[in-house]
Amino acid sequence: MSNELKDMLHSVLKEELNPINQRLDGIDKRLGKMDERFNEVDKRLDRLEADVKDVKKGQEQLQKNIIESMGQFTDNITEYVDDKTAALNQRVYTVETEIQRLYRQSS
């Protein structure tokens, strides 16, 4: 083939392929933007997963704290009741002793 024919063929191919190349460039840009968006979505999902893990840990700790607090409250109530019961028993003993003393005096 002659140079002229080669140049003409090259020119025709270039003209025909140019719109295809432009379309492919546009597709590449859109794919690039989609990749960026997917990367952002992945980052957001990672943050959400980390937040969910933190919430679960916090919930577990809260449950432990509630159970521990309930145990402490129960212990405090029991101790208070025991103290009041002991004081009341002492008063009853004192009254019974006094009644027995008075009974003996009157007999």
Side-chain angles (χ1 to χ4, degrees), residues 2-107:
S2 70
N3 261 349
E4 202 175 296
L5 188 56
K6 284 183 184 179
D7 289 342
M8 190 179 353
L9 183 59
H10 186 269
S11 176
V12 168
L13 286 174
K14 190 174 181 182
E15 271 183 47
E16 293 296 322
L17 292 177
N18 194 29
I20 294 171
N21 284 333
Q22 288 176 351
R23 286 181 68 192
L24 289 174
D25 288 343
I27 291 170
D28 283 344
K29 287 179 186 177
R30 287 189 301 199
L31 287 175
K33 289 178 183 177
M34 287 176 68
D35 280 342
E36 289 174 14
R37 288 177 70 186
F38 280 128
N39 288 337
E40 289 300 316
V41 168
D42 283 343
K43 289 177 187 176
R44 289 174 65 189
L45 283 175
D46 289 343
R47 286 192 303 264
L48 285 173
E49 287 174 349
D51 289 346
V52 167
K53 286 180 184 177
D54 290 344
V55 167
K56 285 182 179 180
K57 285 180 184 177
Q59 184 180 14
E60 289 173 7
Q61 187 61 44
L62 180 62
Q63 288 174 344
K64 289 177 185 176
N65 289 345
I66 288 172
I67 291 169
E68 184 178 316
S69 295
M70 291 300 289
Q72 289 173 350
F73 289 142
T74 302
D75 291 346
N76 290 343
I77 290 169
T78 302
E79 184 178 336
Y80 177 79
V81 169
D82 287 347
D83 289 347
K84 293 298 178 181
T85 302
L88 185 58
N89 283 339
Q90 181 63 40
R91 289 174 65 190
V92 168
Y93 176 77
T94 303
V95 169
E96 287 176 342
T97 304
E98 185 62 24
I99 290 172
Q100 285 179 358
R101 187 185 65 78
L102 290 172
Y103 181 73
R104 284 186 200 140
Q105 276 182 351
S106 67
S107 307

